[in-house]
Amino acid sequence: MKLGKTSALGIIFSLALVATGCGQKTTTSNPDQAVAASTTAASEQKLNVEVSFYPMYDFTKNVAGDLADVHTLIPPAMEPHDWEPTPQDIASIEKADVLVYNGAGMESWMDQVKDSLSNSKLVQVEASQGISIREGGEEEHDHEHADKATTTEEHDHADDASAKEGHEHDAATGEEHDHDHGGLDPHVWLSPALAIKEVRNIEAGLAKAAPQHTDQFKQNADEYIAKLEALDRDFRAAVKGSKRKDFITQHAAFAYLAAEYGLQQVPIAGLSPEQGPSAAQMASVIDFAKEHKVKTIFFETLVSPKVSETIAQEIGAKTAVLNPIEGLTEDEVKAGKDYISVMRENLEALKLALNE
């Protein structure tokens, strides 16, 4: 589906409106009974929440608890960078009470979809709102100086004066302005400290959609954030006395984590795992690994490990998983893994690599 075709979107939404409008009319002969039934239904009805991909699902589910049905648009085992919604996905968004997405360019299709929606009551939550978003760029591949890997330019959602007219909005109001996230690093959820901010934004959005449950959403969020704070403390303690501060990873997903804990990310490829490295980039990473005696090359679960394995073989290193949690594999889902458990696996993998 090509989302740029406005006429096609119009047909899709017209059909969706017809479908959702059918069969909803009810009648009652007793006005008092109608009011009572309406009040009961409003208090018992769960929110219908659509989220873009796995981290947004896990954050939202932990805040919503039993008060919402949460559906993930992008299937868990699918790499989300190049995914596009189907007409059925767009119809699901149109019927939702709340739409939760990461923002910062992660969902490249989101702006076009939002512009086409006719549901004026839909609460739209950009979870990364208010977080300083890092610029992605070629400097990520320059390893001549150790500090270059984590000193990229930042774009502040909240404070950048040039953004206030065209970009700034309240994450919980659903009021959006046109903006372009192109070239930004969206992987904020990989810093537990920033994940806390995303959870708070989601809490605010759910409370806007169902204000009668504000206290319960806050209680749920507080309990989940306590777990995220413990995770954050464990990361800080683990890297504080580590032998090294650098790590080589498959694509540039860990800049926020590295910046938060004083580490140096050395990515083989760019912001998208689909971006293969050039010969020069491969040579640069190999030179860095040899010079710094790197013994572990990290790869991911949802994309081919071939490039990481090639570099590991070249320098005599081993490979290990550092998971960007852009989705869960079928095995991870069956094992009951979630954001926190996978991040703790990442922590253990980093502890080993940083102390070799």
Side-chain angles (χ1 to χ4, degrees):
M1 172 189 174
K2 300 294 184 182
L3 294 178
K5 295 182 179 180
T6 306
S7 58
L9 282 173
I11 293 172
I12 290 169
F13 290 118
S14 297
L15 292 173
L17 287 172
V18 170
T20 56
C22 294
Q24 292 185 348
K25 185 176 180 181
T26 58
T27 58
T28 180
S29 58
N30 189 324
D32 291 336
Q33 289 179 349
V35 171
S38 176
T39 302
T40 301
S43 63
E44 295 180 352
Q45 185 177 6
K46 292 184 177 183
L47 286 176
N48 178 13
V49 182
E50 293 287 335
V51 303
S52 56
F53 70 119
Y54 179 74
M56 300 302 101
Y57 169 84
D58 203 24
F59 296 166
T60 302
K61 191 64 180 173
N62 274 281
V63 176
D66 295 330
L67 299 175
D69 289 322
V70 183
H71 173 256
T72 309
L73 291 165
I74 303 175
M78 180 174 288
E79 212 296 316
H81 282 86
D82 297 321
W83 181 89
E84 288 188 356
T86 65
Q88 292 78 12
D89 294 321
I90 297 173
S92 295
I93 295 173
E94 184 69 50
K95 293 183 289 185
D97 300 307
V98 181
L99 171 63
V100 179
Y101 62 102
N102 182 76
M106 186 63 191
E107 304 89 350
S108 59
W109 42 270
M110 184 61 73
D111 284 346
Q112 294 184 62
V113 169
K114 290 190 302 179
D115 289 343
S116 302
L117 297 176
S118 60
N119 180 2
S120 61
K121 295 183 180 180
L122 177 66
V123 176
Q124 301 176 21
V125 183
E126 182 177 358
S128 64
Q129 182 63 30
I131 295 173
S132 293
I133 301 301
R134 301 176 70 89
E135 300 278 355
E138 292 301 317
E139 68 273 18
E140 289 171 331
H141 300 291
D142 184 350
H143 311 307
E144 292 181 4
H145 301 287
D147 58 355
K148 284 190 178 180
T150 53
T151 22
T152 53
E153 294 179 6
E154 293 188 348
H155 176 84
D156 195 325
H157 272 287
D159 299 325
D160 187 343
S162 64
K164 288 187 176 180
E165 294 181 5
H167 182 84
E168 186 176 288
H169 64 274
D170 189 325
T173 64
E175 297 178 1
E176 300 278 347
H177 301 283
D178 292 335
H179 56 275
D180 181 9
H181 287 305
L184 302 180
D185 181 352
H187 301 87
V188 296
W189 65 89
L190 289 170
S191 161
L194 297 182
I196 290 171
K197 295 182 179 181
E198 293 204 298
V199 169
R200 286 300 186 197
N201 282 339
I202 292 168
E203 177 199 344
L206 294 176
K208 177 178 173 59
Q212 70 273 25
H213 297 308
T214 296
D215 291 344
Q216 186 62 57
F217 292 142
K218 184 179 187 307
Q219 179 180 330
N220 293 346
D222 288 347
E223 292 174 358
Y224 186 59
I225 285 173
K227 298 177 183 179
L228 293 175
E229 289 173 339
L231 179 64
D232 175 57
R233 289 193 297 270
D234 290 344
F235 264 94
R236 294 184 191 281
V239 303
K240 186 176 181 181
S242 62
K243 294 180 180 179
R244 61 188 311 128
K245 301 298 182 184
D246 51 66
F247 62 97
I248 295 177
T249 186
Q250 188 157 337
H251 87 283
F254 296 90
Y256 293 97
L257 182 147
E260 189 70 41
Y261 303 117
L263 300 175
Q264 179 197 2
Q265 171 191 233
V266 180
I268 299 171
L271 290 173
S272 170
E274 302 304 318
Q275 288 180 270
S278 66
Q281 290 166 350
M282 287 278 287
S284 177
V285 173
I286 290 172
D287 288 344
F288 180 93
K290 289 179 176 178
E291 179 183 350
H292 293 82
K293 297 179 173 57
V294 175
K295 298 180 181 179
T296 299
I297 307 296
F298 287 113
F299 68 97
E300 302 171 16
T301 52
L302 296 183
V303 294
S304 171
K306 185 176 180 180
V307 173
S308 295
E309 290 172 348
T310 298
I311 292 178
Q313 291 172 4
E314 176 70 21
I315 66 172
K318 65 179 183 294
T319 59
V321 171
L322 195 63
N323 196 332
I325 324 182
E326 293 173 351
L328 297 183
T329 65
E330 292 183 5
D331 289 341
E332 287 172 332
V333 172
K334 291 177 182 178
K337 294 184 180 182
D338 57 17
Y339 171 85
I340 289 180
S341 67
V342 175
M343 283 299 292
R344 288 203 170 277
E345 291 178 354
N346 283 344
L347 173 58
E348 292 306 312
L350 276 172
K351 283 167 66 175
L352 290 175
L354 295 175
N355 288 284
E356 294 176 322

